[in-house]
Amino acid sequence: AFLAGLKIYGREWKKVANCIPTRTSAQIRSHAQKYFAKLSKENLRQKMLVGEDRCSSCPSTSAATYAAASSDTNPSLLMSGRSMSS
């Protein structure tokens, strides 16, 4: 009933509460706050999982390794793992 009321009335909690006679508008607002926090947490978790999947297919030497190299490192030496200071 909450989701149906939310779909019809949006964030007008008094109107959503009218769809659910056993709850007050304050209770509906509280439930909505928890509902949206849960959605946000799940979306963040999904984004993190997608990011992990993407990284698991990367070669063992990542682009971040190259980006972390100092500016005085010769790019042609990166593949050998040596720097100009060695």
Side-chain angles (χ1 to χ4, degrees):
F2 169 75
L3 292 177
L6 183 63
K7 187 174 185 177
I8 295 168
Y9 299 112
R11 293 179 182 232
E12 295 183 50
W13 305 125
K14 288 182 181 183
K15 291 180 181 179
V16 174
N18 288 335
C19 294
I20 309 168
T22 58
R23 300 288 183 253
T24 66
S25 62
Q27 289 172 316
I28 298 296
R29 282 194 314 270
S30 176
H31 178 72
Q33 184 177 19
K34 292 173 190 172
Y35 173 75
F36 288 122
K38 180 182 174 185
L39 283 182
S40 178
K41 185 177 178 180
E42 288 175 355
N43 286 339
L44 179 60
R45 184 173 176 267
Q46 286 296 322
K47 287 180 183 178
M48 290 175 66
L49 289 175
V50 168
E52 287 176 4
D53 290 342
R54 206 174 294 144
C55 290
S56 66
S57 64
C58 296
S60 61
T61 307
S62 67
T65 303
Y66 296 113
S70 65
S71 60
D72 66 342
T73 303
N74 184 340
S76 65
L77 297 176
L78 282 176
M79 295 305 287
S80 67
R82 300 180 319 197
S83 69
M84 291 179 65
S85 60
S86 310

